[in-house]
Each structure stands twice: as structure tokens, then as C-alpha cells.
Amino acid sequence: AAAAAGRTRRRIRIKAPATLRVMLVSGPRGCGKTTLVGMLKEADPRFCEPEWVATGDVDRGDNPRVRIISEDEFADVRESDAFTASFRPYGFGGEQVDFGLPTQAVVDAATRGGACVLDVDSIAARKILDYPWVEALALLAPKQDITLRFVSVWVSLPSLDDVIVRNRERLTAMLPAGAPSSAVERQLAPLRAQTTDDLEWALTSRSFDFTIINEDKETAAQELLDKVRYCFDVVS
């Protein structure tokens, strides 16, 4: 710790396109947001997902692109306020690891195709939506004039009961042969509490530009594509 404290930290600087297009998609578990994001990327190849970083092996959840970096590298990014979101989950060995989404990774994804899509759960969404994007970009890229186009989309079902029914079906299908159905109900109890909190937050925080009710994935995917193209291609 003393050695780390005495190390000179490297100030992070980034390069970004003149217009940075970012779309965040979030919603309760089991509502199909990842499926819709996949369909969006097929319909509009501009959208690329960013690479998260971690200091050890973690449960990747909705974030399949994870690169392992050193603790010193992670500290450089954190002390430059260059994480849009970061966490300290437990790794597979039981140890705490650092896990985060660098601002540069978002910029790189947007640069590759023209737009970055963030497929995240509600916990990560809260952090990313609270991130001071304009101030951070000005600090991290002081010689650039960057226009940020950020669109946030909430994907859900008509009611809390519908979310629980969808997740009961999903979890039941994942049960090993011979496993009791009570195992599903045990998982649904905390999920109901988390979903209730998520729905209340999405409704009261006014953090999202659009809400998509995903009763039919083809219809919802087209709605997502239409809204994103309107925000990124029509509105100046």
C-alpha cells in the first residue's frame, strides 16, 4: 500500500470523435434488453459495445467484454475520474476485485462504428447516468470540442407481475432435471424486491428518454431502432 501511495499517478487523457454517440439500455432482469440490443446491432452495425476492465476474474453478467488489468492501471483511471462506473465485486476466488467501465472504452466503441451501446443492469445504469459526462470529457480531452449525444432507454414489461412471470418461466427452464420448483421461488423473492425498486426508480428519477414495453421482441426491436435513429440521425 505504501509503494502504491508513493507511485506517481499517470493522468489519463483520451481522444474522442467530434460527436460522441452513446445509447444506454437498461431494465429489470428478464425483460429482454440484451436480446433487443443484439437485434439493434444486427440492424444497425454502427453500434458497438465497450470493453470493461477488472483486476481479476469476475462474474461478467451482461458485460462479456472484460479485460484484466493491473491494480496500478485501475488506480490511474480511477484517480483521473475516467470511469463511468466502477464496483468492487467478489471474484471467483472469493477476493474483492476492481471492476469498471472506462470512459475511453466508451469512446473507443463509439469510434469503431459510430455509436456506443451500453447494455447494463439497473445498478450500473444508476452510476453511468450520474456520471458527469460533459465535465469529464472536458477534463479528459481538454483540447477537443466534443458534442455528446446520449440517449437512455428503459426496457420493461407492462407490470411487476408480468416481470415475475417472465422470470419464473426463465428460471424454471434453467432448472436441472429433478430439481424442486421451490428453488425458483427462492430466487424470485429477492428478484421481486429488486424489480420493485428498479421500477420505482425508473419512474421517479426521470433518467430515461424513452421506455419500451417488450411484449413482442420484433415490435420492441423496431421501436428501439426507430427511436435511436431519430435521436442520432434526425435531431440535430
Side-chain angles (χ1 to χ4, degrees):
R7 195 175 75 88
T8 300
R9 295 297 184 194
R10 181 172 60 88
R11 187 70 191 176
I12 301 296
R13 289 289 183 265
I14 68 172
K15 291 184 179 180
T19 300
L20 182 62
R21 297 176 176 86
V22 181
M23 182 186 68
L24 179 145
V25 181
S26 189
R29 182 174 293 276
C31 290
K33 64 179 176 59
T34 298
T35 298
L36 296 185
V37 167
M39 295 172 74
L40 173 71
K41 291 194 296 180
E42 288 184 10
D44 191 334
R46 287 181 300 176
F47 288 94
C48 299
E49 293 191 70
E51 181 179 70
W52 293 61
V53 296
T55 56
D57 289 331
V58 294
D59 180 0
R60 302 185 179 197
D62 294 334
N63 311 298
R65 293 172 54 86
V66 179
R67 178 169 57 93
I68 305 300
I69 63 175
S70 71
E71 292 183 0
D72 281 342
E73 288 178 287
F74 199 97
D76 283 340
V77 181
R78 181 171 52 210
E79 294 192 8
S80 295
D81 294 323
F83 274 120
T84 65
S86 62
F87 311 88
R88 294 213 74 197
Y90 285 96
F92 291 130
E95 77 288 359
Q96 279 196 313
V97 300
D98 289 305
F99 178 61
L101 176 62
T103 308
Q104 181 67 65
V106 175
V107 170
D108 290 344
T111 303
R112 282 200 307 274
C116 174
V117 58
L118 304 173
D119 172 14
V120 294
D121 62 24
S122 63
I123 297 173
R126 296 178 198 221
K127 288 179 176 284
I128 294 170
L129 290 168
D130 284 342
Y131 183 65
W133 285 90
V134 174
E135 294 83 354
L137 289 171
L139 181 65
L140 296 169
K143 296 182 179 181
Q144 290 186 257
D145 184 12
I146 302 169
T147 299
L148 175 66
R149 303 286 294 278
F150 194 106
V151 178
S152 54
V153 181
W154 181 255
V155 176
S156 190
L157 293 174
S159 70
L160 172 62
D161 286 343
D162 290 320
V163 176
I164 299 304
V165 168
R166 175 80 63 86
N167 278 280
R168 180 179 286 112
E169 294 171 350
R170 179 179 63 86
L171 293 171
T172 299
M174 295 168 58
L175 273 181
S181 59
S182 59
V184 170
E185 297 307 316
R186 285 197 298 271
Q187 294 182 67
L188 285 176
L191 188 145
R192 177 182 286 273
Q194 180 65 55
T195 302
T196 301
D197 181 68
D198 290 344
L199 293 173
E200 181 179 356
W201 166 68
L203 180 65
T204 61
S205 68
R206 299 185 178 181
S207 297
F208 292 91
D209 300 306
F210 304 105
T211 295
I212 293 178
I213 303 301
N214 185 20
E215 295 183 276
D216 174 77
K217 68 178 182 181
E218 300 295 339
T219 301
Q222 186 60 52
E223 184 180 356
L224 177 61
L225 181 62
D226 291 344
K227 291 185 184 304
V228 168
R229 284 182 171 170
Y230 175 77
C231 291
F232 286 162
D233 301 334
V234 178
V235 178
S236 59

